[in-house]
């Protein structure tokens, strides 16, 4: 069906016409940014202000972003690099084959705005027709099932939200590491969390009003009659769904998950036609499921039977429009941004189209794009150096475990065993995903996106019939992030985060350990935090701690939760210390681990003063600057409601729990961040 020469020519023509093809900005550099500091602020009063105040004062958030900082700068740089790589691939012309051709076609088709515009809603019509033809609850279940995708990830990336009725995650069993199972999660909401539907906070009430208007606009654009009535029906149905949803904090409880066999699904969650749903989802032959939300899933099943069929049909239709909107004509793209960009995140302007196209391509063909990125930007020398740094951090963590006064010998032995079997992935996976089975057609932007999501789903379902692969990656190499995988007892550090300003082979140790080292330590410590402490060396959910050890850990954790509960970015809103507890423990532990590893790397010699700062000062300043970020009010409110991570400004202040920070900056008892020695949280 495809002519690869045509595709390559088409891509090239489009790229040549791109106004955004400005020369790439100079690459980001590592080292302390002295101009970005504000030395008029005492480090003991406001460490984030001291390390980042100058930058905060002088840097506006770009109008197409909800937040701006090191993460987004690096992500922008990565996108520019990927765009240039794709351009080169296109220039190869007929030499482009296989994955390169697919990457080129996917991107070029998305960029051909005129062709997309001329088709209007036509690409979505077959799907809307199928929804219109739904005549009974069996049809409803079939369509609900056909829409399920591998779109959530509870323990690795903590993506808990899906607009589909259920989210599916495929990985090894919580209590059975020997094989993979499907996990079912609650879903069905168009807004990010149940809070948006049930909260009485005036800000949330205002977002709800805007959501209703947005739903009405989407129905109108898609040519439906009575858009206002339909919008109300959808909001009513989603509010009923939100009321039976578990909260964000409840969803983090690994002990609430249960296993149900195929028969129990129907008997314990009556309402839905499960045979129709599971058959359409390709899950009907699965004997056992992990049910992550054993209260919400039966309640959702009941709503599928009790709520009017017409409400469900409107819900299906508008969700289909929302999903397709970024790949349809401009009016859909703009209305989608109007709500999901402006109202939910406070972002004034949309990002340039090429950036969106790059992200969609990078998600659809993740490993294929990653391979290109790694070949150009991740030399073997960097991989080897970071692997050595990881080994140092693991051994420093081991020494910390040995030195813990509160830990019993039994627990200590198991902790060391878990550390010894930790599998660390640096840069990119050992095995790449094969995209031979993915069809990418020039000229079919929406179809390409849908086939890619289905391909990913099928690739995940295939794991149900394969041996468990502990080396599986859960981030692409071009992702600016890092992740701990509790069920695999493994870590992924993608190539795109092992870059300046986090890491540079040429930067000094104080910098590399303060920034990248603390990130590595953070991920290592997740294996031993409130979640990780519940998974053993094989990744099995099993209590390997003695009761006394767990009691000590919980008491220390509570103090950290209280520390974060006290942070109030707005008078009406505080950080949720429990929702963010795992991440905050990891920040404290990671920073301590990296501090130790830094001194091991120095062989306990003093690091000379540079730029007027001692080695320890530079280490902590690098850490503070690695959290450099500005965020809009709407986006910050959304983060606090839905995210397991505390706002970056408070993460920079993690230093207040570390004794060496007090010595490095002569922090005194009268200063705002000061904690008496007994109040500093010491877990590891
Ligand atoms: Zn984390």
């Amino acid at each position: 069906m495809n002519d690869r020469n045509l595709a390559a020519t088409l891509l090239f023509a489009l790229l040549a016409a791109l106004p955004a093809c400005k020369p790439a900005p100079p690459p980001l550099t590592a080292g302390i940014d002295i101009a970005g500091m504000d030395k008029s602020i005492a480090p003991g009063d406001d460490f984030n202000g001291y390390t980042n105040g100058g930058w905060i004062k002088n840097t506006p958030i770009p109008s197409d972003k909800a937040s701006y900082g090191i993460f987004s700068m690096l992500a922008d740089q990565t996108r520019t690099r990927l765009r240039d790589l794709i351009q080169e691939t296109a220039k190869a012309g007929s030499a482009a084959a296989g994955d390169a051709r697919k990457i080129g076609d996917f991107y070029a088709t998305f960029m051909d705005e005129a062709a997309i515009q001329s088709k209007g809603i036509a690409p979505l019509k077959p799907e809307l027709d199928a929804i219109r033809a739904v005549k009974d609850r069996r049809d409803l279940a079939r369509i609900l099932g056909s829409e399920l995708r591998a779109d959530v990830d509870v323990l690795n990336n903590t993506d808990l939200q899906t607009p589909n009725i259920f989210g599916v995650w495929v990985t090894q069993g919580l209590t059975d590491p020997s094989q993979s199972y499907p996990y079912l999660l609650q879903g069905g909401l168009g807004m990010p969390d149940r809070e948006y539907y049930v909260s009485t906070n005036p800000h949330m009430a205002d977002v709800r009003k805007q959501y209703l208007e947005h739903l009405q606009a989407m129905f109108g654009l898609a040519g439906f009659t009575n858009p206002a009535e339909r919008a109300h029906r959808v909001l009513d149905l989603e509010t009923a769904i939100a009321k039976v949803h578990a909260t964000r904090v409840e969803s983090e409880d690994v002990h609430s998950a249960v296993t149900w066999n195929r028969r129990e699904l129907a008997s314990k969650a009556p309402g839905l036609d499960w045979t129709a749903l599971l058959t359409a989802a390709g899950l009907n032959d699965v004997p056992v499921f992990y049910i992550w939300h054993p209260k919400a899933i039966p309640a959702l099943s009941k709503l599928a039977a009790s709520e009017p069929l017409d409400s469900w049909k409107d819900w299906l239709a508008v969700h289909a429009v929302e999903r397709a909107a970024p790949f349809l004509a401009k009016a859909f793209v703009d209305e989608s941004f109007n709500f999901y960009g402006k109202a939910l995140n406070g972002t004034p302007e949309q990002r340039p189209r090429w950036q969106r196209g790059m992200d969609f391509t990078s998600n659809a063909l993740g490993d294929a794009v990653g391979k290109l990125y790694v070949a150009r930007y991740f030399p073997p020398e960097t991989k080897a150096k970071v692997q050595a740094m990881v080994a140092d951090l693991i051994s420093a963590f081991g020494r910390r475990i040995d030195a813990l006064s509160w830990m019993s010998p039994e627990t200590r032995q198991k902790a060391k065993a878990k550390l010894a079997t930790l599998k660390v992935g640096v840069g990119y996976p050992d095995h790449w995903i094969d995209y031979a089975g993915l069809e990418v057609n020039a000229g079919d932007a929406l179809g390409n996106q849908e086939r890619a999501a289905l391909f990913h789903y099928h690739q995940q379902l295939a794991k149900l019939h394969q041996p468990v692969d502990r080396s599986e990656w859960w981030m692409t190499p071009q992702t600016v992030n890092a992740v701990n995988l509790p069920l695999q007892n493994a870590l992924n550090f993608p190539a795109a985060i092992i870059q300046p300003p986090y890491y540079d082979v040429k930067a000094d140790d104080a910098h590399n350990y303060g920034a990248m080292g603390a990130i590595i330590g953070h991920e290592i410590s997740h294996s031993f935090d409130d979640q990780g402490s519940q998974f053993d060396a094989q990744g099995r959910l099993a209590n390997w701690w003695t009761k006394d050890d767990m009691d000590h850990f919980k008491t220390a954790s509570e103090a950290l939760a209280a520390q974060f509960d006290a942070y109030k970015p707005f008078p009406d809103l505080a950080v949720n210390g429990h929702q963010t507890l795992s991440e905050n423990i990891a920040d404290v532990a990671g920073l301590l681990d990296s501090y130790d590893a830094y001194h091991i790397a120095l062989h306990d010699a003093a690091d000379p003063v540079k730029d007027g700062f001692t080695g320890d000062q530079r280490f902590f300043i690098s850490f503070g600057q690695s959290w450099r970020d500005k965020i809009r009010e709407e986006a910050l409110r959304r983060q606090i409601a839905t995210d397991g991570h505390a706002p970056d400004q408070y993460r920079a202040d993690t230093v207040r729990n570390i004794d060496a920070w007090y010595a490095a900056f002569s922090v005194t008892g009268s200063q705002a961040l000061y904690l008496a020695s007994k109040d500093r949280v010491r877990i590891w």
Side-chain angles (χ1 to χ4, degrees), residues 52-209:
N52 296 312
W55 179 86
I56 291 170
K57 213 176 331 169
N58 295 318
T59 313
I61 300 176
S63 58
D64 62 350
K65 293 193 193 309
S67 64
Y68 192 57
I70 301 287
F71 247 61
S72 33
M73 287 179 215
L74 200 45
D76 279 351
Q77 175 178 282
T78 305
R79 254 186 232 107
T80 308
R81 288 172 164 185
L82 291 174
R83 182 197 61 195
D84 295 347
L85 284 169
I86 288 184
Q87 232 167 347
E88 286 172 32
T89 309
K91 274 186 201 157
S94 59
D99 290 351
R101 202 274 302 157
K102 287 177 185 177
I103 292 171
D105 277 3
F106 195 102
Y107 180 73
T109 298
F110 180 84
M111 291 308 295
D112 191 353
E113 232 180 323
I116 289 172
Q117 192 66 23
S118 71
K119 289 180 189 161
I121 187 127
L124 186 60
K125 198 165 172 299
E127 200 175 339
L128 294 179
D129 286 347
I131 293 166
R132 269 194 201 96
V134 167
K135 56 183 189 318
D136 55 28
R137 304 278 167 176
R138 171 158 300 179
D139 287 348
L140 171 65
R142 191 176 37 76
I143 296 218
L144 289 172
S146 72
E147 290 182 344
L148 299 193
R149 294 292 179 269
D151 56 358
V152 289
D153 170 352
V154 194
L155 294 168
N156 304 326
N157 288 304
T158 52
D159 292 335
L160 299 169
Q161 208 270 345
T162 172
N164 296 333
I165 183 129
F166 304 128
V168 179
W169 184 45
V170 183
T171 190
Q172 67 186 74
L174 262 185
T175 45
D176 176 13
S178 73
Q179 67 179 91
S180 295
Y181 294 82
Y183 289 65
L184 288 188
L185 275 72
Q186 66 186 15
L189 302 179
M191 289 196 281
D193 186 82
R194 75 188 295 279
E195 276 297 294
Y196 282 82
Y197 296 85
V198 301
S199 167
T200 54
N201 179 300
H203 171 80
M204 290 300 202
D206 181 55
V207 175
R208 276 199 288 281
K209 196 171 134 275

Side-chain angles (χ1 to χ4, degrees), residues 522-523 526 583 586 645 651:
H522 171 112
E523 298 305 336
H526 269 316
E583 294 302 330
H645 300 86
R651 298 183 74 175

Side-chain angles (χ1 to χ4, degrees), residues 201 567-574 633 637 650:
N201 179 300
Y567 292 136
K568 284 185 92 170
F570 307 109
D572 66 336
L573 190 65
E633 175 173 346
R637 286 179 179 274
Y650 305 118

